[in-house]
Amino acid sequence: MMAGYDPSTIEPKWQAYWLENKTFRAIDGSDKPKYYILDMYPYPSGSGLHVGHPEGYTATDILARYRRHKGFNVLHPMGWDAFGLPAEQYAIKTGTHPRDTTISNVAVFKGQIQRLGFSYDWDREINTTDPSYYKWTQWIFLQMYRRDLAYLAEVPVNWCPGLGTVLANEEVIDGKSEVGGFPVYRKPMRQWMLRITAYADRLLDDLDSLDWPESIKEMQRNWIGRKRGAEVDFPVVGQPATVRVFTTRPDTLFGATFMVLAPEHPLVEAVTTPAQAAQVRQYQEMAARKSDLERTDLAKDKTGVFTGGFAINPVNDQQLPIWISDYVLMSYGTGAIMAVPGHDQRDWEFARKFDLPIVEVVQGGDISQAAFTEIDDGIMVNSGILDGLPVAQAIERITAWLEARGRGQAAVNYRLRDWLFSRQRYWGEPFPILYRQDGSTLAVPEEQLPVLLPETDSYKPSGTGESPLATIESWISFTDPGTGERFRRETHTMPQWAGSCWYYLRYIDPHNDQALCDPEKERYWMPVDLYVGGAEHAVLHLLYARFWHKVLYDIGVVSTPEPAMRLVNQGMILGYAYRCFTNDSASEILGKNQVRFENGLAKHPVTGETLLPRYLHIDQVRWKKVDEDDPESATVPMHPDLEEVELEEVVEKMSKSRGNVVNPDRIVSEYGADAFRLYEMYMGPLEQVKPWRTQGVLGMQRFLNRVYRLLMDEQGQRSPRVVEGEPGLPLARRLHRTIAKVSEDIEAMAFNTAIAALIELNNFLHKEQEIPRSVAEPFVLLLSPFAPHLAEELWQALGHDRTLAYEPWPCADESLLKEETVELPVQVNGKLRATLVVSISSSREEVIEQAVSLPNVAAYLEGKQIVKTIYVPQRILNFAVK
RNA sequence: GCCGGAGUGGCGAAAUAGGCAGACGCGCUGGACUCAAAAUCCAGUGGUGGCAACACCGUGUCGGUUCGAGUCCGACCUCCGGUACCA
């Protein structure tokens, strides 16, 4: 066998050791301080691990290992978010049970993760599709059901008769199914909703207590969208009904010139006159056929129909025509608005299109050109009792006026809507709910949980829009053995988010069949100290989990109001991609050098036609020197077959279609897991988006190789360079500065600079003849969170027979961190002219005296008058001269 | 449009509290070792000028504050992420 650093033997050896010895087992209720460090668990897809997953996992692993060295009892678990659509779609195609697909995908993921040497406590592994897990997901649902936080509502779904199934919003394009192009209709269906809106205020207010990225907190605030305003009632002319609207700007009531109802608004029928009925019905049908996406994104041009009805403006008794339009959404506010076209761009466009009056009520704009919307501190006009008032006072005055007369009141409105919790799918948690013959609902008794997913051969949709469970008659019908009463089971299943809302709690007590987790253990481990994952879950997963956690807090299951105190998002890892361009018919292939770019789009140089990018796999790219005769010439990427076609290099999200996916397995087998981990952390700050360059892994492998050769000889034994004894002062200083730097950087999650410090120390040690053990050992410990396999191997070679995982972290000696002398930059008028080595104890006068006699400084001071001397000890000396 | 983040060598990046811009790695160049190559080791590497000492320029753009600005302030440009008829 080849001597030298060989990760392919070292790494499996230590991985097996850690597993056998359960090295990373977390101890429930130990005397040590606890540290709960959590990764966002993955969906085990068929395509395996991606280089993006291990980025966050490596970061948390470094921290987990570091905390163990620092004497913490660390909980660092991993599991599988394994319900979901891909396994079900695969089942429909191949007939393979999603459970089998899940089992084999989990095995692949687990193998890949274990080969990276992460220090998870595998005894706590969880899987959301395990009945002993989803029993508790169902249990939590029941607690919500009991507290009226889960309720049934008629909610439209994207129903596709052509496919006989319900589609997700992203599966619908232009009102047609993505697959097959069949028409899609909005069909109301009775579905479960979770009353997250009941927690809106707490979800919003408690954000302030969290150490989370400001951007995520801001996204959640926007998502919740709490707005203060007023609800105002507009009586309908000739009807007992009133139209209630929500507005953030009651001050503009005098500017209202018409009303608009959402097409689905319940009052539409009542206000519509017979003459308008046909038109109104036609418009309603058209709106019903559009998906939400179309109604918002695509329909920029205002459409609508007059109902024939009128409402009375409560502030001035003016009659306002009532229209319907799909720019008003039934799901926000009251589903109806007062239109103030002078000061709202949407209303302005609508008024222009249908020739409705536009009135100015806040001074300052030109409402003949556009709505004047910068009206936060304007002065009211044309507004009766409000004339001359500033906006803020007008809002108060009119709200009080409305309240006094019972025509409206101050109100708070949220953008957040209740959570649609039903899916018409097989591969999800069944609801623990029964329907009586009369259609009323009943909870499955808790002792009968879990409600198991039934076995079936067919995962195909039922054809009615119900889930495949609806076709399994033997499962659906249920007769109470005592009373003989007959029930039917709920056939919808829960969405993929469900299991993720509480998984961090199950790690605490993963095998408990009496409770979702033991209260004592919960109090010990919670809250999560650090949660790391991708920013794509900024809103939904993190908001839903906070919601469930607060529900569990209210019923006394958990002891903290929030699940995770600190959150960090790792930035996405991108890949270099190379592309040329083709026209629609693909008859021509053009390079970057042959096309024109306009607004980021490639255009044909002659026809001006917009060209489509065509990606080439990175391995196919031919590199060509710009100047063949110049050895230093830059190289450019070229098409492999076409001589003159230069490729465009772009950095983009990794995807199969772009040919820029990097497979971690390949990197690990070629360079080793330690080098892979090191590179992922060395690329740049964790939170930042950054491109992958496989060359960089090679640099890390070289570093590890140099560390190995520093301490080991050619036979794989401890090098004779390693000696007993103490280091000299310069080496001791180096070591302790590195200890301080690496410790600080790990705490700050600045792993890239911590690694740079380790490389520097290694480079320095290579110049030494002898490496004292008292230097080698701390060095190996400092390296161990980053490159644990190599560190264990070196630790063993240094004569230890146990893992280094719980060895105390080296402590920096403060007295060795300060140098006796410092190199001081000397400036004249802010420009560096020389440097001066001075003792840190030198006085200002001594330093200045030495500095002015430096030749280059003297030259710049010659014939000038010093007007000011700035001296910051140990930092800078600057002479301002005239 | 709105919200959030980022612009620094050929590339990834670093710079604690306003104090030597470019640590560290990749790449590249030269050299050593070698029959040769790989690996390894040594040296160099922001640009321009100069034999050199050194000088000038240089952190997206324009302006400001300061003895001194990558860092602070004002205006703008570009890119990335999120979100969007939310009344």
Side-chain angles (χ1 to χ4, degrees), chain A residues 287-399:
Chain A
R289 243 177 287 129
K290 289 188 190 173
S291 69
D292 270 343
L293 234 73
E294 281 179 292
R295 282 179 58 165
T296 56
D297 271 16
L298 305 170
K300 289 295 176 204
D301 198 28
K302 295 282 178 290
T303 59
V305 176
F306 178 44
T307 62
F310 288 86
I312 295 166
N313 189 336
V315 294
N316 58 8
D317 295 332
Q318 248 182 24
Q319 292 205 1
L320 306 176
I322 305 174
W323 288 65
I324 62 170
S325 171
D326 64 3
Y327 87 88
V328 174
L329 307 175
M330 193 58 225
S331 48
Y332 184 78
T334 60
I337 62 157
M338 63 168 196
V340 184
H343 304 284
D344 181 290
Q345 189 57 29
R346 298 155 300 181
D347 297 345
W348 188 87
E349 285 165 17
F350 194 85
R352 269 299 170 100
K353 173 123 184 218
F354 295 105
D355 222 10
L356 293 157
I358 301 172
V359 175
E360 179 183 57
V361 288
V362 184
Q363 264 178 346
D366 177 4
I367 58 167
S368 67
Q369 295 307 306
F372 177 55
T373 57
E374 279 151 46
I375 51 174
D376 288 345
D377 40 32
I379 299 294
M380 306 307 299
V381 291
N382 300 325
S383 293
I385 55 164
L386 302 179
D387 277 348
L389 287 180
V391 163
Q393 282 179 35
I395 291 175
E396 273 180 48
R397 172 83 58 93
I398 197 69
T399 306

Side-chain angles (χ1 to χ4, degrees), chain A residues 5-174:
Chain A
Y5 173 55
D6 180 19
S8 67
T9 57
I10 294 176
E11 291 177 357
K13 169 182 158 188
W14 289 101
Q15 285 160 16
Y17 174 93
W18 296 327
L19 265 184
E20 273 164 35
N21 293 281
K22 296 191 187 295
T23 304
F24 304 117
R25 209 175 49 189
I27 312 298
D28 293 317
S30 98
D31 296 338
K32 293 179 181 180
K34 68 95 185 181
Y35 194 75
Y36 185 178
I37 183 162
L38 180 68
D39 288 303
M40 286 186 189
Y41 66 166
Y43 173 74
S45 71
S47 45
L49 215 61
H50 181 273
V51 289
H53 287 116
E55 188 193 9
Y57 299 166
T58 304
T60 53
D61 195 59
I62 290 165
L63 278 162
R65 288 173 180 273
Y66 171 74
R67 290 278 167 171
R68 285 189 202 98
H69 288 299
K70 293 287 261 186
F72 285 82
N73 181 24
V74 172
L75 175 55
H76 187 40
M78 180 47 73
W80 318 105
D81 179 21
F83 276 128
L85 209 45
E88 181 160 339
Q89 279 164 340
Y90 186 71
I92 293 169
K93 243 185 273 171
T94 65
T96 315
H97 196 296
R99 189 197 308 120
D100 298 334
T101 310
T102 301
I103 288 169
S104 63
N105 286 353
V106 163
V108 170
F109 262 69
K110 190 171 176 180
Q112 287 181 304
I113 285 176
Q114 286 183 330
R115 274 195 293 283
L116 290 167
F118 297 136
S119 61
Y120 294 119
D121 178 354
W122 287 107
D123 290 349
R124 294 174 184 260
E125 179 180 354
I126 58 153
N127 184 325
T128 54
T129 66
D130 191 334
S132 68
Y133 181 91
Y134 70 67
K135 171 181 176 178
W136 297 104
T137 311
Q138 291 174 341
W139 183 86
I140 297 170
F141 176 82
L142 280 187
Q143 310 314 308
M144 293 192 171
Y145 172 78
R146 296 232 167 82
R147 283 159 185 81
D148 196 33
L149 292 169
Y151 62 97
L152 281 166
E154 290 279 337
V155 182
V157 292
N158 298 309
W159 165 239
C160 178
L163 294 171
T165 188
V166 169
L167 301 173
N169 280 338
E170 8 0 313
E171 295 173 301
V172 184
I173 293 166
D174 287 345

